[in-house]
PDB file of all heavy atoms in Angstrom:
ATOM      1  N   ASP U  62      11.535  15.305  32.881  1.00 92.00           N
ATOM      2  CA  ASP U  62      12.280  14.508  33.745  1.00 92.00           C
ATOM      3  C   ASP U  62      13.630  14.301  33.081  1.00 92.00           C
ATOM      4  O   ASP U  62      13.693  14.015  31.946  1.00 92.00           O
ATOM      5  CB  ASP U  62      11.623  13.203  34.017  1.00 92.00           C
ATOM      6  CG  ASP U  62      12.269  12.334  35.025  1.00 92.00           C
ATOM      7  OD1 ASP U  62      12.853  12.970  35.973  1.00 92.00           O
ATOM      8  OD2 ASP U  62      12.146  11.076  35.006  1.00 92.00           O
ATOM      9  N   CYS U  63      14.668  14.584  33.824  1.00 89.00           N
ATOM     10  CA  CYS U  63      15.976  14.484  33.335  1.00 89.00           C
ATOM     11  C   CYS U  63      16.951  13.870  34.338  1.00 89.00           C
ATOM     12  O   CYS U  63      16.660  13.706  35.516  1.00 89.00           O
ATOM     13  CB  CYS U  63      16.558  15.832  32.981  1.00 89.00           C
ATOM     14  SG  CYS U  63      16.755  16.937  34.414  1.00 89.00           S
ATOM     15  N   PRO U  64      18.046  13.312  33.824  1.00 86.00           N
ATOM     16  CA  PRO U  64      19.064  12.809  34.637  1.00 86.00           C
ATOM     17  C   PRO U  64      19.551  13.795  35.726  1.00 86.00           C
ATOM     18  O   PRO U  64      19.521  15.007  35.390  1.00 86.00           O
ATOM     19  CB  PRO U  64      20.232  12.273  33.808  1.00 86.00           C
ATOM     20  CG  PRO U  64      19.589  12.247  32.491  1.00 86.00           C
ATOM     21  CD  PRO U  64      18.440  13.236  32.398  1.00 86.00           C
ATOM     22  N   GLY U  65      20.073  13.339  36.792  1.00 80.00           N
ATOM     23  CA  GLY U  65      20.532  14.150  37.826  1.00 80.00           C
ATOM     24  C   GLY U  65      21.801  14.945  37.389  1.00 80.00           C
ATOM     25  O   GLY U  65      22.500  14.425  36.570  1.00 80.00           O
ATOM     26  N   VAL U  66      22.002  16.145  37.848  1.00 72.00           N
ATOM     27  CA  VAL U  66      23.137  16.955  37.426  1.00 72.00           C
ATOM     28  C   VAL U  66      23.962  17.296  38.633  1.00 72.00           C
ATOM     29  O   VAL U  66      23.407  17.771  39.628  1.00 72.00           O
ATOM     30  CB  VAL U  66      22.601  18.273  36.744  1.00 72.00           C
ATOM     31  CG1 VAL U  66      23.811  19.111  36.416  1.00 72.00           C
ATOM     32  CG2 VAL U  66      21.842  17.972  35.469  1.00 72.00           C
ATOM     33  N   VAL U  67      25.249  17.079  38.608  1.00 64.00           N
ATOM     34  CA  VAL U  67      26.165  17.430  39.656  1.00 64.00           C
ATOM     35  C   VAL U  67      27.124  18.307  38.959  1.00 64.00           C
ATOM     36  O   VAL U  67      28.030  17.930  38.196  1.00 64.00           O
ATOM     37  CB  VAL U  67      26.840  16.231  40.311  1.00 64.00           C
ATOM     38  CG1 VAL U  67      27.782  16.650  41.302  1.00 64.00           C
ATOM     39  CG2 VAL U  67      25.779  15.262  40.870  1.00 64.00           C
ATOM     40  N   MET U  68      27.161  19.655  39.456  1.00 62.00           N
ATOM     41  CA  MET U  68      28.079  20.554  38.895  1.00 62.00           C
ATOM     42  C   MET U  68      29.496  20.415  39.527  1.00 62.00           C
ATOM     43  O   MET U  68      29.564  20.163  40.739  1.00 62.00           O
ATOM     44  CB  MET U  68      27.563  22.028  39.090  1.00 62.00           C
ATOM     45  CG  MET U  68      26.236  22.235  38.580  1.00 62.00           C
ATOM     46  SD  MET U  68      26.126  22.002  36.834  1.00 62.00           S
ATOM     47  CE  MET U  68      26.362  23.602  36.231  1.00 62.00           C
ATOM     48  N   GLU U  69      30.517  20.572  38.799  1.00 63.00           N
ATOM     49  CA  GLU U  69      31.880  20.435  39.283  1.00 63.00           C
ATOM     50  C   GLU U  69      32.177  21.705  40.205  1.00 63.00           C
ATOM     51  O   GLU U  69      31.927  22.787  39.665  1.00 63.00           O
ATOM     52  CB  GLU U  69      32.900  20.339  38.129  1.00 63.00           C
ATOM     53  CG  GLU U  69      34.300  20.327  38.527  1.00 63.00           C
ATOM     54  CD  GLU U  69      34.577  19.066  39.426  1.00 63.00           C
ATOM     55  OE1 GLU U  69      34.129  17.962  39.027  1.00 63.00           O
ATOM     56  OE2 GLU U  69      35.275  19.233  40.418  1.00 63.00           O
ATOM     57  N   THR U  70      32.604  21.444  41.376  1.00 64.00           N
ATOM     58  CA  THR U  70      32.692  22.599  42.336  1.00 64.00           C
ATOM     59  C   THR U  70      34.216  22.753  42.629  1.00 64.00           C
ATOM     60  O   THR U  70      34.518  23.643  43.349  1.00 64.00           O
ATOM     61  CB  THR U  70      31.963  22.390  43.632  1.00 64.00           C
ATOM     62  OG1 THR U  70      32.471  21.155  44.205  1.00 64.00           O
ATOM     63  CG2 THR U  70      30.563  22.240  43.330  1.00 64.00           C
ATOM     64  N   GLY U  71      35.010  21.901  42.156  1.00 64.00           N
ATOM     65  CA  GLY U  71      36.477  21.959  42.566  1.00 64.00           C
ATOM     66  C   GLY U  71      36.707  21.333  43.865  1.00 64.00           C
ATOM     67  O   GLY U  71      37.795  21.352  44.408  1.00 64.00           O
ATOM     68  N   ALA U  72      35.611  20.797  44.501  1.00 58.00           N
ATOM     69  CA  ALA U  72      35.732  20.142  45.874  1.00 58.00           C
ATOM     70  C   ALA U  72      36.485  18.799  45.674  1.00 58.00           C
ATOM     71  O   ALA U  72      36.480  18.222  44.548  1.00 58.00           O
ATOM     72  CB  ALA U  72      34.385  19.953  46.464  1.00 58.00           C
ATOM     73  N   PRO U  73      37.070  18.383  46.690  1.00 57.00           N
ATOM     74  CA  PRO U  73      37.828  17.051  46.661  1.00 57.00           C
ATOM     75  C   PRO U  73      36.713  15.881  46.175  1.00 57.00           C
ATOM     76  O   PRO U  73      35.538  16.042  46.351  1.00 57.00           O
ATOM     77  CB  PRO U  73      38.275  16.775  48.019  1.00 57.00           C
ATOM     78  CG  PRO U  73      37.838  17.852  48.876  1.00 57.00           C
ATOM     79  CD  PRO U  73      37.141  18.875  47.960  1.00 57.00           C
ATOM     80  N   THR U  74      37.388  14.907  45.553  1.00 61.00           N
ATOM     81  CA  THR U  74      36.464  13.849  45.022  1.00 61.00           C
ATOM     82  C   THR U  74      35.772  13.058  46.168  1.00 61.00           C
ATOM     83  O   THR U  74      34.759  12.415  45.915  1.00 61.00           O
ATOM     84  CB  THR U  74      37.313  12.848  44.320  1.00 61.00           C
ATOM     85  OG1 THR U  74      38.367  12.310  45.133  1.00 61.00           O
ATOM     86  CG2 THR U  74      37.910  13.386  43.047  1.00 61.00           C
ATOM     87  N   ALA U  75      36.175  13.280  47.364  1.00 61.00           N
ATOM     88  CA  ALA U  75      35.367  12.607  48.524  1.00 61.00           C
ATOM     89  C   ALA U  75      34.064  13.224  48.648  1.00 61.00           C
ATOM     90  O   ALA U  75      33.142  12.632  49.266  1.00 61.00           O
ATOM     91  CB  ALA U  75      36.187  12.812  49.824  1.00 61.00           C
ATOM     92  N   ALA U  76      33.836  14.489  48.087  1.00 64.00           N
ATOM     93  CA  ALA U  76      32.492  15.074  48.207  1.00 64.00           C
ATOM     94  C   ALA U  76      31.494  14.534  47.232  1.00 64.00           C
ATOM     95  O   ALA U  76      30.310  14.683  47.350  1.00 64.00           O
ATOM     96  CB  ALA U  76      32.711  16.568  47.923  1.00 64.00           C
ATOM     97  N   ALA U  77      31.914  13.869  46.145  1.00 66.00           N
ATOM     98  CA  ALA U  77      31.094  13.298  45.029  1.00 66.00           C
ATOM     99  C   ALA U  77      29.980  12.402  45.696  1.00 66.00           C
ATOM    100  O   ALA U  77      28.839  12.524  45.267  1.00 66.00           O
ATOM    101  CB  ALA U  77      31.890  12.720  44.017  1.00 66.00           C
ATOM    102  N   PRO U  78      30.378  11.462  46.430  1.00 68.00           N
ATOM    103  CA  PRO U  78      29.288  10.538  46.985  1.00 68.00           C
ATOM    104  C   PRO U  78      28.262  11.333  47.964  1.00 68.00           C
ATOM    105  O   PRO U  78      27.096  10.964  47.956  1.00 68.00           O
ATOM    106  CB  PRO U  78      30.061   9.595  47.823  1.00 68.00           C
ATOM    107  CG  PRO U  78      31.468   9.640  47.431  1.00 68.00           C
ATOM    108  CD  PRO U  78      31.672  11.004  46.905  1.00 68.00           C
ATOM    109  N   LEU U  79      28.694  12.463  48.484  1.00 69.00           N
ATOM    110  CA  LEU U  79      27.843  13.212  49.377  1.00 69.00           C
ATOM    111  C   LEU U  79      26.809  13.874  48.504  1.00 69.00           C
ATOM    112  O   LEU U  79      25.719  14.241  48.977  1.00 69.00           O
ATOM    113  CB  LEU U  79      28.581  14.176  50.215  1.00 69.00           C
ATOM    114  CG  LEU U  79      29.579  13.578  51.197  1.00 69.00           C
ATOM    115  CD1 LEU U  79      30.246  14.683  51.997  1.00 69.00           C
ATOM    116  CD2 LEU U  79      29.013  12.566  52.045  1.00 69.00           C
ATOM    117  N   ARG U  80      27.176  14.210  47.311  1.00 67.00           N
ATOM    118  CA  ARG U  80      26.247  14.862  46.433  1.00 67.00           C
ATOM    119  C   ARG U  80      25.412  13.894  45.546  1.00 67.00           C
ATOM    120  O   ARG U  80      24.618  14.299  44.586  1.00 67.00           O
ATOM    121  CB  ARG U  80      26.948  15.860  45.462  1.00 67.00           C
ATOM    122  CG  ARG U  80      27.716  17.020  46.186  1.00 67.00           C
ATOM    123  CD  ARG U  80      28.247  18.085  45.212  1.00 67.00           C
ATOM    124  NE  ARG U  80      28.944  17.507  44.040  1.00 67.00           N
ATOM    125  CZ  ARG U  80      30.262  17.324  44.039  1.00 67.00           C
ATOM    126  NH1 ARG U  80      30.961  17.712  45.051  1.00 67.00           N
ATOM    127  NH2 ARG U  80      30.810  16.809  42.945  1.00 67.00           N
ATOM    128  N   GLY U  81      25.497  12.633  45.803  1.00 66.00           N
ATOM    129  CA  GLY U  81      24.802  11.623  45.061  1.00 66.00           C
ATOM    130  C   GLY U  81      25.335  11.374  43.649  1.00 66.00           C
ATOM    131  O   GLY U  81      24.693  10.767  42.869  1.00 66.00           O
ATOM    132  N   ALA U  82      26.586  11.729  43.362  1.00 64.00           N
ATOM    133  CA  ALA U  82      27.176  11.527  42.131  1.00 64.00           C
ATOM    134  C   ALA U  82      27.678  10.156  41.894  1.00 64.00           C
ATOM    135  O   ALA U  82      27.852   9.700  40.753  1.00 64.00           O
ATOM    136  CB  ALA U  82      28.278  12.484  41.817  1.00 64.00           C
ATOM    137  N   LEU U  83      27.856   9.428  42.924  1.00 67.00           N
ATOM    138  CA  LEU U  83      28.351   8.018  42.835  1.00 67.00           C
ATOM    139  C   LEU U  83      27.396   7.074  43.639  1.00 67.00           C
ATOM    140  O   LEU U  83      27.015   7.418  44.756  1.00 67.00           O
ATOM    141  CB  LEU U  83      29.723   7.965  43.385  1.00 67.00           C
ATOM    142  CG  LEU U  83      30.852   8.570  42.550  1.00 67.00           C
ATOM    143  CD1 LEU U  83      32.175   8.488  43.373  1.00 67.00           C
ATOM    144  CD2 LEU U  83      30.995   7.992  41.272  1.00 67.00           C
ATOM    145  N   ALA U  84      27.086   5.980  43.170  1.00 69.00           N
ATOM    146  CA  ALA U  84      26.330   5.070  43.804  1.00 69.00           C
ATOM    147  C   ALA U  84      27.112   4.458  45.002  1.00 69.00           C
ATOM    148  O   ALA U  84      28.382   4.135  44.742  1.00 69.00           O
ATOM    149  CB  ALA U  84      25.873   3.891  42.962  1.00 69.00           C
TER     150      ALA U  84
END
Side-chain angles (χ1 to χ4, degrees):
D62 188 26
C63 64
V66 176
V67 178
M68 305 301 266
E69 180 59 45
T70 62
T74 56
L79 302 180
R80 294 191 314 265
L83 293 173

